[in-house]
Amino acid sequence: MRKQKAKKRYLAPDPVYGDPLVTRFVNNLMIGGKKSTAYTSFYEAMERIKKSTNEEGYEIWKKAMDNAMPAVEVKSRRIGGATFQIPTPIREDRKLFMTIRWLIQFSRKRNGRSMGDKLAAELIAASKGEGAAVKRKEDTHKMAEANKAFSHFKA
C-alpha cells in the first residue's frame, strides 16, 4: 500500500482558448502520440461549428460537455450470491473523463470525411441535447433510476 497519495498533475492550457480542459480533451482525442494532429482536428471542428451554427465553437463545445455529463452511474456489487447494479454518484474528475470519452468515441463512429467533421457534428448534436453521447448519459441515468431500490447497498 502507498505511503502517500499520488499528486494530481495539472495540464497546461491550450494555445487558442487558454483552457486546460481543452488540453485534456485533445489528449484524449490524440492517437499514437500525434498531439498536433489532434489539435488540428479539434480546432477544425471549432471552425466548422462556427460556420454551420454562427455561434462560437468553444461555447457549443462547453454546452455539449454539460449536456453529455452524467451525474450517477451503476456499479456491480456481489451480495449473497447475487449481483446487484447499485447506483452511485460520480466524482467530478470521473464525470469529465466519461463525458470526454463518450463524445470522442461517438464522434469516431459517425460518418464524415475527417475527424474534424465528425467531431463537429457530434458536438453540435450534443449541444442541442441530441446525439449518441447524450443518449448514453440518459441510458446511464435510466439504469440508475431503475436500480434505485438497491441504493442502500452502497459500495
Side-chain angles (χ1 to χ4, degrees):
M1 196 161 167
R2 282 190 163 198
K3 291 182 180 181
Q4 253 182 333
K5 190 177 177 202
K7 289 191 177 85
K8 183 86 178 112
R9 285 195 221 125
Y10 295 98
L11 294 170
D14 80 296
V16 176
Y17 300 109
D19 188 353
L21 193 56
V22 172
T23 306
R24 188 168 171 185
F25 191 88
V26 169
N27 286 348
N28 281 279
L29 186 62
M30 175 172 57
I31 295 176
K34 299 194 171 203
K35 193 174 228 171
S36 60
T37 307
Y39 268 121
T40 305
S41 295
F42 182 79
Y43 294 135
E44 182 185 324
M46 294 299 110
E47 288 299 315
R48 292 204 188 287
I49 289 169
K50 193 171 185 177
K51 281 181 187 171
S52 62
T53 63
N54 294 324
E55 290 182 51
E56 193 59 45
Y58 180 71
E59 296 303 319
I60 295 286
W61 174 74
K62 282 282 212 194
K63 195 187 289 184
M65 290 281 285
D66 287 339
N67 287 349
M69 194 174 293
V72 289
E73 67 179 336
V74 291
K75 289 190 173 183
S76 296
R77 175 128 189 244
R78 193 169 167 85
I79 297 164
T83 304
F84 296 104
Q85 298 277 36
I86 300 170
T88 54
I90 308 175
R91 296 188 327 271
E92 196 60 39
D93 209 37
R94 180 154 169 78
K95 281 182 189 181
L96 280 172
F97 168 73
M98 290 172 81
T99 306
I100 291 169
R101 185 180 63 187
W102 290 344
L103 284 169
I104 292 169
Q105 177 185 352
F106 292 118
S107 296
R108 288 196 174 119
K109 288 182 180 175
R110 272 184 176 264
N111 294 327
R113 293 173 65 90
S114 69
M115 188 57 198
D117 288 342
K118 297 176 191 182
L119 186 59
E122 185 63 33
L123 290 174
I124 290 169
S127 71
K128 292 176 183 171
E130 304 163 1
V134 175
K135 186 180 183 320
R136 172 68 65 90
K137 172 200 157 187
E138 289 167 357
D139 291 347
T140 305
H141 282 202
K142 279 181 194 165
M143 278 176 65
E145 186 66 31
N147 291 298
K148 197 167 63 173
F150 306 123
S151 61
H152 65 281
F153 287 131
K154 291 235 181 344

